[in-house]
Amino acid sequence: MDSFSSTNVVLKKQVKGESSVISREDVAVKRIRTEEEQEIANRKPSLIWKGTGGWTAASILLANQCLATLAFFGVGVNLVLFLTRVLGQSNADAANNVSKWTGTVYLCSLVGAFLSDSYWGRYLTCAIFQLIFVSGLVLVSVSSWFFLIIPDGCGDGKLSCVPATSMGQAVFYLAIYLVAFGYGGHQPSIATFGADQFDESKPKERNSKAAFFCYFYFALNFGSLFSNTLLVYFEDHGRWTLGFLLSLGSAVIALVSFLFGAPGYKYVKPCGNPLPRVAQVFVAAARKWDVIPVKADELYELEGPESAIKGSRKIFHSEEFEFLDKAATMTEDDLSHQKNPWRLCTITQVEEAKCVLKMLPVWLCTIIYSVVFTQMASLFVEQGDVMNSNIGKFHLPAASMSAFDICSVLVCTGIYRQILVPLVGRLSGNPKGLTELQRMGIGLVIGMLAMLAAGATEIERLKNVIEGHKVSSLSIFWQIPQYVLVGASEVFMYIGQLEFFNGQAPDGIKSFGSSLCMASISLGNYASSMLVNMVMKITTKGDKPGWIPDDLNTGHMDRFYFLIAVLTAFDFVIYLFCAKWYKPINIDDSQGIEMEKQEDDVLAKV
């Protein structure tokens, strides 16, 4: 570091015009590595140091997330009304189709995560899935323009559209599922790629990485704010194609900016297919079912700093799922088979499998919360569509009420980062404030309160129904509390999930960890669809219209909201046991610390 000080002095002298024995070219810190720098880079098998990374690169990725989300929600936020008004579907069918589509979006995140971790790497995965995303938006715009919005301006709630042809519907469904595949596959990779721009071995960058996930979710909601206001307004007034074209433009800008930022990114090499590695652990443990595991310090592991998993740090032994330790217990047969990985695994490989098993119970508990979250895109919109949404002569689209959810997220994110974290950090001694698991638990509780608020609003709406009218006289602004509460719960639940699953996932399956957050949303949507079907079958016996009929004024959607609240409360109790049982991953960071010291030594010689 003394060299840096002397360099600064020389530069200052040159700026002042004073003489110096060292030229500006000699002292400039260049990115071209010396042999020693290259040796250090080679010892970091997971990284390809092509750019500077840091906040400069991360900011481009945050902008990409913002623009891509704007494009996605330009299609998704009003989809339930498009299905009812343009395609003529019933309320229950439209809500189920939106839930299935949204579920597919986030289920595709597992595909993107697998390809990212195993073969393509984060950058290539993001680029390919964004191309698919743009292709889907092109088809959505074309299908609505030529096949579905006939006559022009229909689907505004007043002018009915001509029944869609089979070809028109087929092209539209192909288009929206391409959008689902593209956006879903892009999401976990862009989140993990952004986190890759920060080096965990450096304390400052470790803190920046934690902050990145907070800003990532902030960018997601900031992008959707435009979709939930301006685009929703156009679509609600029958200008569906214009809304879809604006979404397409946003997605194209996102893709172009992402590609132009390529020289500044830090890249992580894929670590190979994790499925065989995990399977090897279970097969090896099964083959040694009668073997008693040895002590932790006698389990098999490679000597030296390198891990058996390419590009991954070593993981220390944990006490959970001890039966898997059989896979790392060396026997005489293992010696004769030249350490076959299907018979003998390293501790790190066993711990990778354990990490997946340990995260699953926590992940399963987040699915019910996603049932709460998905109501915003379906039943909340249908509920608002039969409430008084006129402000003078201005008609407020029901889907635009989700802007209150977005504003709640933006405000609560700021309060959390600037007020709650410092305050709780001083009280608890944890620099993060609340742990990820604590935040997720708080998110569940607030989500339950949101369902209670939605049920209370529905009770009041039904009390103010005017006989012979579809729309209740109750103002749509009664929905504000339920949207605000859902937004506040997202800050705790989804940001906590992103940090938890990415932080607790081993190096070889980081994108998989990020995709678990989105996969829970996927299963939550499928669970919501299944719940709606079950409730309608049970409550429509005889002459009863059911809880969610086509005419909501004859139903009891409030009871459905209260049912979700009860399920969330039950889920919270189970979650408490899972969170208390969970033990964090313990990664060997000694290699990273040693490398950082060597980097400092090399830089000091420059």
Side-chain angles (χ1 to χ4, degrees):
M1 300 306 294
D2 292 336
S3 299
F4 278 136
S5 300
S6 61
T7 297
N8 290 334
V9 172
V10 171
L11 285 174
K12 288 178 182 177
K13 288 182 179 181
Q14 288 180 338
V15 171
K16 292 178 181 179
E18 298 179 18
S19 61
S20 175
V21 294
I22 303 177
S23 67
R24 190 183 298 270
E25 288 74 20
D26 290 330
V27 300
V29 179
K30 299 179 181 180
R31 296 299 299 169
I32 302 174
R33 295 186 181 86
T34 63
E35 292 182 2
E36 289 181 343
E37 286 178 294
Q38 189 62 51
E39 183 181 352
I40 291 173
N42 291 337
R43 288 185 62 190
K44 285 187 174 180
S46 62
L47 294 177
I48 311 174
W49 297 99
K50 284 192 175 179
T52 57
W55 278 114
T56 301
S59 297
I60 297 174
L61 301 178
L62 290 174
N64 176 270
Q65 170 69 1
C66 180
L67 291 167
T69 302
L70 188 159
F72 171 72
F73 280 103
V75 175
V77 74
N78 234 5
L79 184 59
V80 68
L81 293 185
F82 187 91
L83 296 178
T84 54
R85 293 180 182 179
V86 178
L87 298 186
Q89 296 182 5
S90 66
N91 284 329
D93 287 342
N96 278 339
N97 284 331
V98 170
S99 293
K100 292 173 183 176
W101 177 76
T102 309
T104 302
V105 171
Y106 295 108
L107 195 61
C108 289
S109 66
L110 293 173
V111 178
F114 174 78
L115 293 171
S116 173
D117 286 334
S118 304
Y119 303 111
W120 292 352
R122 328 267 202 242
Y123 176 79
L124 184 59
T125 302
C126 288
I128 290 175
F129 277 100
Q130 283 190 80
L131 282 171
I132 296 172
F133 182 48
V134 169
S135 302
L137 288 169
V138 169
L139 272 181
V140 167
S141 303
V142 169
S143 64
S144 66
W145 193 353
F146 290 103
F147 300 113
L148 303 177
I149 309 301
I150 304 173
D152 187 38
C154 70
D156 61 351
K158 298 176 183 178
L159 179 62
S160 298
C161 293
V162 173
T165 63
S166 298
M167 180 181 178
Q169 291 193 52
V171 173
F172 179 74
Y173 274 105
L174 172 63
I176 62 173
Y177 275 93
L178 275 176
V179 168
F181 187 56
Y183 185 76
H186 161 260
Q187 280 300 285
S189 299
I190 197 71
T192 311
F193 192 40
D196 289 341
Q197 305 310 307
F198 305 100
D199 189 349
E200 280 189 349
S201 66
K202 301 177 181 178
K204 286 185 179 180
E205 294 202 23
R206 191 184 303 120
N207 294 334
S208 296
K209 181 177 178 179
F212 172 80
F213 288 112
C214 198
Y215 294 130
F216 180 83
Y217 203 71
F218 184 95
L220 185 153
N221 281 273
F222 189 79
S224 63
L225 180 62
F226 184 83
S227 305
N228 285 267
T229 51
L230 186 60
L231 294 190
V232 163
Y233 178 79
F234 287 143
E235 294 167 359
D236 191 63
H237 286 73
R239 303 174 73 179
W240 294 94
T241 302
L242 176 59
F244 295 151
L245 286 173
L246 289 173
S247 294
L248 173 60
S250 179
V252 170
I253 295 172
L255 175 59
V256 171
S257 63
F258 175 79
L259 296 176
F260 270 102
Y265 300 144
K266 286 181 181 177
Y267 298 87
V268 173
K269 294 180 181 179
C271 296
N273 189 345
L275 296 180
R277 294 200 304 266
V278 174
Q280 285 168 354
V281 173
F282 286 96
V283 170
R287 282 179 167 178
K288 301 175 183 176
W289 193 252
D290 297 330
V291 174
I292 300 175
V294 296
K295 296 179 180 179
D297 57 354
E298 297 176 4
L299 294 172
Y300 174 66
E301 182 59 276
L302 293 182
E303 294 184 5
E306 293 189 6
S307 166
I309 302 172
K310 186 179 82 171
S312 175
R313 292 167 292 179
K314 286 185 176 180
I315 310 174
F316 291 119
H317 177 262
S318 64
E319 300 297 331
E320 293 77 28
F321 302 109
E322 289 187 11
F323 69 94
L324 292 179
D325 291 343
K326 298 173 188 287
T329 300
M330 189 179 296
T331 64
E332 293 182 2
D333 289 339
D334 295 327
L335 296 175
S336 62
H337 286 88
Q338 297 182 343
K339 298 178 182 178
N340 180 353
W342 290 96
R343 301 183 65 90
L344 180 65
C345 305
T346 64
I347 295 175
T348 296
Q349 193 175 344
V350 171
E351 290 302 317
E352 184 181 53
K354 285 185 181 182
C355 284
V356 175
L357 292 179
K358 286 194 293 184
M359 288 191 294
L360 283 179
V362 175
W363 173 70
L364 289 171
C365 289
T366 65
I367 294 174
I368 288 296
Y369 172 80
S370 296
V371 174
V372 173
F373 178 74
T374 194
Q375 304 312 313
M376 281 199 307
S378 54
L379 293 185
F380 279 18
V381 178
E382 292 183 1
Q383 182 186 39
D385 200 41
V386 289
M387 298 177 74
N388 180 13
S389 57
N390 293 322
I391 307 172
K393 294 183 179 180
F394 178 77
H395 173 71
L396 183 69
S400 67
M401 287 297 291
S402 56
F404 288 100
D405 162 75
I406 297 166
C407 291
S408 175
V409 170
L410 299 181
V411 171
C412 290
T413 300
I415 292 174
Y416 178 79
R417 288 294 307 172
Q418 302 301 323
I419 299 175
L420 196 58
V421 169
L423 179 62
V424 177
R426 283 194 296 268
L427 295 175
S428 65
N430 183 356
K432 289 185 178 181
L434 298 170
T435 67
E436 291 88 349
L437 290 172
Q438 288 172 336
R439 276 183 276 163
M440 290 159 65
I442 292 172
L444 274 173
V445 173
I446 300 176
M448 178 186 66
L449 296 177
M451 288 296 97
L452 294 175
T457 299
E458 181 64 10
I459 291 173
E460 288 299 317
R461 190 194 70 80
L462 291 173
K463 288 180 181 178
N464 289 272
V465 169
I466 302 172
E467 190 174 349
H469 290 74
K470 175 186 175 183
V471 177
S472 169
S473 61
L474 189 69
S475 172
I476 195 172
F477 291 110
W478 273 68
Q479 284 191 313
I480 291 177
Q482 63 204 59
Y483 278 105
V484 169
L485 285 169
V486 170
S489 68
E490 288 177 61
V491 172
F492 288 94
M493 173 56 78
Y494 284 135
I495 297 178
Q497 270 187 276
L498 278 171
E499 286 188 42
F500 176 77
F501 290 122
N502 185 274
Q504 294 300 306
D507 293 334
I509 52 173
K510 284 289 184 186
S511 292
F512 169 76
S514 296
S515 72
L516 284 178
C517 174
M518 292 138 202
S520 74
I521 299 176
S522 170
L523 293 184
N525 278 272
Y526 289 128
S528 177
S529 177
M530 181 180 67
L531 195 60
V532 169
N533 288 332
M534 288 175 58
V535 164
M536 288 302 292
K537 283 185 179 180
I538 294 172
T539 60
T540 53
K541 292 180 179 179
D543 297 330
K544 295 179 180 179
W547 287 2
I548 315 173
D550 289 339
D551 183 2
L552 293 178
N553 294 336
T554 63
H556 280 287
M557 196 158 56
D558 54 310
R559 296 176 184 175
F560 183 73
Y561 288 140
F562 292 143
L563 173 63
I564 296 177
V566 171
L567 292 174
T568 307
F570 181 71
D571 180 62
F572 175 70
V573 174
I574 299 174
Y575 173 81
L576 289 178
F577 286 102
C578 293
K580 187 175 181 180
W581 166 80
Y582 184 83
K583 296 295 185 296
I585 186 174
N586 191 5
I587 293 177
D588 182 3
D589 251 338
S590 59
Q591 184 184 8
I593 295 171
E594 180 63 26
M595 288 176 184
E596 185 180 358
K597 289 180 180 178
Q598 292 185 26
E599 285 178 347
D600 290 340
D601 292 340
V602 169
L603 290 172
K605 296 176 183 178
V606 175

